[in-house]
């Protein structure tokens, strides 16, 4: 595959150009076993450094796509190949558009009942050639998980979109990878809320400028304290840069 994997602060990050996505996606579909595409923020990068399970999930992911400007700047500071920064929602739209060209299938997992139904209806209208072969709400009780796993395995979709209400989020599908067929799993917490029009997505202008954090702080002022882990990230980059130069 035309993908270069680099490391930023010891965490894997993939370098892939948007024009390469179609080829890479179909190469993944042709590969047996469960695959995973992960959207990596700076905060999850730092999480991977202290959480072995999350780090292992990233190491085994088929694609780790950076979504934070700080990761791009970090790669440049470390003199690594500069990755492309992806907007998670726009990337998912690209995935669906690519899958639709060959009439591939999709399974929706997450959200509450009405959100899930509205998302399915809107996706069918937008991507009529993309076959939605199943859906299941999130926030399901533990004793229902076997039914969820069985439903996905039987449907064997090309891609599974996971959203809010999935226990452990990104690592859920990795921990259960032996329970599925050959699907590609993508987790984006807000996906179904946006597709159902219950939540507004971050504008392209705000995302491109790297200002999406301010919207998060406005919604939750306590996130201002993220400045401290950000300082730690800067120190990690400096340490890595000095180590590589010695």
């Amino acid at each position: 595959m035309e993908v270069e994997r680099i490391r930023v602060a010891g965490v894997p990050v993939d370098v892939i150009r948007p024009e390469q996505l179609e080829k890479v996606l179909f190469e993944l579909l042709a590969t047996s076993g469960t695959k995973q595409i992960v959207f990596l923020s700076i905060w999850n990068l730092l999480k991977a450094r202290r959480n072995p399970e999350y780090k292992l999930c990233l190491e085994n992911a088929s694609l780790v796509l950076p979504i934070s400007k700080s990761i791009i700047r970090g790669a440049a500071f470390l003199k690594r190949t500069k990755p492309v920064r992806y907007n998670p929602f726009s990337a998912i739209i690209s995935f669906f558009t690519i899958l639709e060209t060959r009439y591939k299938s999709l399974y929706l997992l997450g959200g509450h009942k009405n959100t899930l139904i509205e998302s399915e209806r809107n996706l069918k209208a937008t991507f009529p050639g993309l076959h939605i072969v199943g859906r299941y709400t999130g926030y399901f009780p533990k004793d229902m998980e076997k039914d969820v796993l069985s439903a996905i395995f039987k449907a064997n979709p090309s891609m599974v979109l996971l959203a809010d209400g999935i226990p452990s989020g990104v690592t859920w599908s990795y921990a259960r990878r032996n329970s599925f067929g050959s699907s590609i799993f993508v987790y984006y917490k807000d996906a179904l809320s946006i597709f159902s029009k219950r939540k507004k997505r971050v504008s392209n202008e705000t995302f491109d400028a790297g200002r999406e954090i301010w919207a998060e702080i406005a919604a939750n002022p306590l996130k201002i304290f993220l400045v401290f882990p950000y300082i730690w990230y800067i120190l990690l980059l400096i340490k890595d840069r000095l180590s590589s130069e010695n």
Side-chain angles (χ1 to χ4, degrees):
M1 294 194 302
E2 299 176 6
V3 180
E4 179 185 357
R5 177 155 290 190
I6 64 172
R7 290 187 176 274
V8 178
V11 176
V13 175
D14 287 324
V15 181
I16 176 173
R17 308 299 166 191
E19 60 270 19
Q20 298 171 320
L21 275 178
E22 181 171 2
K23 180 180 179 183
V24 170
L25 205 59
F26 286 128
E27 285 179 356
L28 289 178
L29 287 171
T31 305
S32 61
T34 302
K35 284 81 63 172
Q36 189 171 15
I37 298 175
V38 178
F39 296 117
L40 186 68
S41 70
I42 177 180
W43 317 118
N44 286 335
L45 182 150
L46 292 172
K47 175 182 177 180
R49 289 183 56 87
R50 66 177 188 275
N51 185 321
E53 181 186 18
Y54 191 85
K55 177 75 176 297
L56 193 61
C57 174
L58 295 183
E59 296 286 0
N60 288 279
S62 302
L63 285 177
V64 179
L65 304 179
I67 66 173
S68 296
K69 264 198 169 183
S70 300
I71 296 177
I72 311 304
R73 291 170 180 156
F77 178 75
L78 295 171
K79 300 181 179 180
R80 309 275 158 75
T81 304
K82 186 178 180 181
V84 174
R85 179 176 176 238
Y86 284 86
N87 180 324
F89 184 77
S90 298
I92 286 172
I93 293 296
S94 295
F95 297 157
F96 291 174
T97 300
I98 292 168
L99 293 175
E100 186 185 29
T101 63
R102 299 196 190 181
Y103 301 98
K104 297 297 183 179
S105 56
L106 175 69
Y107 195 102
L108 303 175
L109 180 61
H112 293 288
K113 183 178 179 180
N114 290 338
T115 300
L116 186 58
I117 291 172
E118 290 169 13
S119 294
E120 182 180 17
R121 181 168 56 245
N122 292 336
L123 285 170
K124 283 182 175 178
T126 307
F127 302 98
L130 181 61
H131 302 292
I132 299 179
V133 293
R135 55 178 164 82
Y136 211 104
T137 58
Y139 307 99
F140 48 82
K142 184 70 175 176
D143 60 1
M144 291 296 292
E145 184 170 277
K146 277 190 176 181
D147 292 339
V148 176
L149 298 176
S150 177
I152 297 174
F153 178 79
K154 289 177 182 177
N156 195 27
S158 305
M159 179 172 284
V160 180
L161 176 64
L162 303 99
D164 60 304
I166 303 305
S168 70
V170 169
T171 59
W172 185 83
S173 56
Y174 175 70
R176 295 155 182 80
R177 60 194 179 280
N178 294 327
S179 299
F180 307 116
S182 297
S183 304
I184 299 173
F185 286 77
V186 182
Y187 173 79
Y188 179 43
K189 182 180 178 181
D190 295 333
L192 295 178
S193 296
I194 296 173
F195 282 127
S196 65
K197 300 182 179 179
R198 291 171 177 260
K199 183 174 184 175
K200 286 187 177 181
R201 70 183 184 93
V202 175
S203 69
N204 291 335
E205 294 78 10
T206 297
F207 183 83
D208 291 343
R211 296 196 301 264
E212 66 275 14
I213 184 62
W214 297 110
E216 294 180 27
I217 291 173
N220 181 3
L222 290 177
K223 287 196 173 184
I224 193 67
F225 292 107
L226 289 174
V227 67
F228 297 112
Y230 182 77
I231 292 172
W232 176 239
Y233 173 67
I234 298 299
L235 294 174
L236 288 172
L237 293 178
I238 293 172
K239 179 184 176 183
D240 282 4
R241 173 74 176 268
L242 291 175
S243 297
S244 64
E245 292 180 349
N246 292 334

